[in-house]
Amino acid sequence: MRMYNRGSELRSTGREMTSILRSPQALQLTLALIKPDAVAHPLILEAVHQQILSNKFLIVRMRELLWRKEDCQKFYQEHEGRFFYQRLVEFMASGPIRAYILAHKDAIQLWRTVMGPTRVFRARHVAPDSIRGSFGLTDTRNTTHGSDSVVSASREIAAFFPDFSEQRWYEEEEPQLRCGPVRYNPEGGIHFAAGTGGPGPT
């Protein structure tokens, strides 16, 4: 007689759900930050926002915040001990930042390309039209940050948007945004599927 195994069924369902959420057709998410040096200058802030829109990213969530020093230290923990660590932490806690969750079929790599190289000197020479090539001041004050992998994107999104459920978004919002039509709300600064009135609770 075959024994019914509820736990096995749940694990199987979870694997199936994961494969659906991570299917090649699904939109990819990334975290994008606009750093204090850019947020302090409204024209630069707006120019970076327009770069996001012109590169066809969907803005899933957006918020502005002041970052506590302890949160900065935790976020940049992998760099602890390196010569620039303390300077980076102090700078990121020095003023308001803007955080985005961006969606695109290749969000992580595309955003990193739009940002340009980390080192501003290199960005100015090899990607002068990139965000860092245009607005970066130093390797620390380089205007923007972006996740470098799917794993880091999930971790970083959770750090800045603790109420955002990535799984729920993939289940409920992603199919509507991917299949369209999609509208942009200039007041809220985000995209939403037409007919939904905007994102639901996270």
Side-chain angles (χ1 to χ4, degrees), residues 3-70:
M3 296 293 291
Y4 178 73
N5 189 329
R6 176 68 173 163
S8 175
E9 182 186 80
L10 287 172
R11 285 193 295 274
S12 175
T13 303
R15 285 194 296 271
E16 289 167 9
M17 180 60 71
T18 300
S19 67
I20 292 169
L21 302 187
R22 296 289 180 261
S23 70
Q25 293 80 27
L27 294 170
Q28 187 180 68
L29 296 176
T30 192
L31 178 83
L33 298 181
I34 304 184
K35 297 182 177 182
D37 57 314
V39 175
H41 295 85
L43 292 178
I44 295 177
L45 180 63
E46 181 58 26
V48 175
H49 187 79
Q50 289 302 319
Q51 281 269 48
I52 291 171
L53 296 176
S54 64
N55 280 278
K56 308 300 183 187
F57 286 102
L58 297 179
I59 302 173
V60 174
R61 301 286 189 277
M62 181 181 77
R63 63 182 294 224
E64 292 191 12
L65 68 153
L66 273 169
W67 216 5
R68 296 184 308 166
K69 193 171 181 179
E70 311 89 84

Side-chain angles (χ1 to χ4, degrees), residues 128-189:
D129 295 329
S130 67
I131 291 171
R132 289 166 172 165
S134 299
F135 305 115
L137 301 174
T138 68
D139 294 350
T140 300
R141 299 171 181 264
N142 60 0
T143 314
T144 51
H145 165 87
S147 307
D148 61 9
S149 69
V150 171
V151 172
S152 65
S154 292
R155 175 177 57 82
E156 293 176 357
I157 287 169
F160 280 91
F161 297 88
D163 296 330
F164 178 79
S165 169
E166 190 171 340
Q167 178 168 336
R168 187 179 300 170
W169 182 83
Y170 271 107
E171 291 171 354
E172 298 175 3
E173 294 182 47
E174 189 275 342
Q176 298 180 63
L177 290 172
R178 174 164 39 89
C179 299
V182 174
R183 292 183 178 171
Y184 174 68
N185 177 2
E187 291 182 8

